[in-house]
């Protein structure tokens, strides 16, 4: 409104009377209530953008906001995707690939099994050689899905099979990596902005450690009680990753 730009939005059947629909005024139905049949339907969202003649799409948060296929579909339709390039989304959507890039740049990472696999027997053999506790992670995972902690005496095969099943169900990818488990970590993020050509700046840090069921409850910015040297190192690591990936 401030810029005088025309804006439209989308909704599922469940949100036909939602605040964003009422406020924006122009909204396109993209499907029934289940997210997979509406907000996660790439073709339906692109058709909605074409229907209103959109020049660009802002994906918001969650749903398709970090989906490389959606960013690519927008580009194919001649619509600007307000976010990272599909290649960048693909890279950082894969924990193993992102971790390899960090290692190449000399950025410290958690020790463990970096090569992803969904071969149960191979994973069972590999984790036997790793010190416990360790954590299994779905490479395409997020929100705590596809993760299992293995402590001394735990059944490795059962945990691996469960994590693979969950990864396939939630993300369509059952491959896992294994890492040293940090029992009481802090979750600190550095926010970055890039021009897509290697120019990257950071917008300082954010404390995200207060969580429930692996979901953030409260974020505090900037982070308090963080040594200056650690803050500077985190910022430089984030900038290095952004430059290398042309974020």
């Amino acid at each position: 409104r401030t810029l005088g730009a025309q804006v439209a939005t989308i909704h599922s059947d469940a949100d036909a009377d939602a605040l964003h629909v009422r406020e924006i005024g122009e909204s396109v139905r993209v499907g029934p209530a289940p997210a997979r049949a509406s907000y996660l339907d790439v073709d339906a969202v692109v058709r909605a953008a074409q229907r209103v003649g959109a020049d660009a799409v802002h994906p918001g948060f969650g749903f398709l906001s970090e989906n490389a296929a959606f960013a690519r579909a927008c580009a194919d339709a001649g619509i600007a995707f307000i976010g990272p390039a599909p290649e960048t989304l693909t890279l950082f959507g894969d924990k193993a690939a992102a971790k390899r890039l960090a290692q190449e740049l000399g950025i410290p990472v958690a020790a463990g099994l970096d090569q992803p696999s969904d071969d149960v027997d191979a994973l069972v053999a590999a984790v036997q050689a790793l010190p416990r506790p360790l954590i299994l992670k779905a490479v395409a995972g997020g929100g705590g899905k596809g993760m299992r902690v293995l402590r001394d005496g735990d059944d490795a095969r059962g945990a691996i099979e469960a994590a693979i099943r969950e990864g396939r169900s939630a993300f369509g990818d059952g491959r896992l990596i294994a890492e040293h488990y940090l029992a009481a970590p802090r979750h600190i993020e550095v926010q970055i902005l890039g021009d897509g050509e290697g120019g990257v700046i950071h917008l300082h840090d954010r404390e995200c450690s207060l969580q429930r069921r692996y979901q953030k409850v409260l974020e505090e910015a900037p982070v308090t009680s963080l040594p200056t040297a650690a803050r500077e190192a985190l910022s430089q690591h984030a900038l290095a990753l952004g430059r290398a990936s042309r974020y």
Side-chain angles (χ1 to χ4, degrees):
R1 287 171 181 165
T2 302
L3 296 173
Q6 291 180 293
V7 182
T9 187
I10 60 173
H11 65 272
S12 71
D13 289 345
D15 295 324
D17 297 316
L19 178 62
H20 74 284
V21 175
R22 300 198 308 272
E23 277 288 307
I24 291 174
E26 181 177 9
S27 187
V28 179
R29 176 189 180 273
V30 287
R36 288 196 175 277
S38 52
Y39 297 120
L40 292 172
D41 186 332
V42 170
D43 292 336
V45 176
V46 172
R47 284 197 303 270
Q50 292 172 319
R51 176 175 162 183
V52 299
D55 300 302
V57 168
H58 190 296
F61 301 92
F63 294 127
L64 296 175
S65 64
E66 298 177 25
N67 187 296
F70 179 56
R72 196 168 289 112
C74 288
D76 292 343
I79 300 169
F81 175 81
I82 302 175
E87 295 78 13
T88 306
L89 290 170
T90 298
L91 170 64
F92 288 115
D94 183 319
K95 287 183 175 64
K99 190 171 179 178
R100 282 195 296 272
L101 175 60
Q103 289 173 305
E104 290 168 8
L105 296 171
I107 296 172
V109 299
L113 175 66
D114 299 335
Q115 192 61 39
S117 174
D118 58 2
D119 183 318
V120 175
D121 290 334
L123 286 167
V124 169
V127 300
Q128 299 302 346
L130 297 176
R132 298 194 185 188
L134 60 85
I135 184 167
L136 303 165
K137 292 183 178 180
V139 293
K145 296 187 184 302
M147 299 200 314
R148 292 293 187 279
V149 177
L150 276 177
R151 295 182 170 86
D152 289 336
D154 287 348
D155 173 23
R157 181 173 294 274
I160 289 168
E161 289 174 344
I164 289 174
R165 281 196 305 272
E166 197 167 282
R168 285 175 177 164
S169 173
F171 313 110
D173 188 340
R175 294 176 303 143
L176 307 178
I177 58 172
E179 292 181 340
H180 172 63
Y181 177 62
L182 304 175
R186 288 175 69 182
H187 180 139
I188 295 173
E189 300 180 358
V190 176
Q191 312 301 310
I192 62 173
L193 282 175
D195 60 10
E197 298 179 358
V200 183
I201 63 171
H202 75 77
L203 301 176
H204 305 287
D205 40 66
R206 194 183 283 183
E207 172 71 80
C208 306
S209 298
L210 185 57
Q211 301 185 13
R212 180 176 182 270
R213 295 180 179 175
Y214 305 107
Q215 298 296 320
K216 300 165 194 171
V217 175
L218 182 71
E219 299 185 28
E220 179 187 50
V223 180
T224 56
S225 68
L226 184 64
T228 300
R231 190 188 309 274
E232 181 60 24
L234 285 171
S235 298
Q236 291 307 312
H237 292 159
L239 292 175
L241 282 166
R243 293 186 191 109
S245 63
R246 302 179 73 81
Y247 188 87

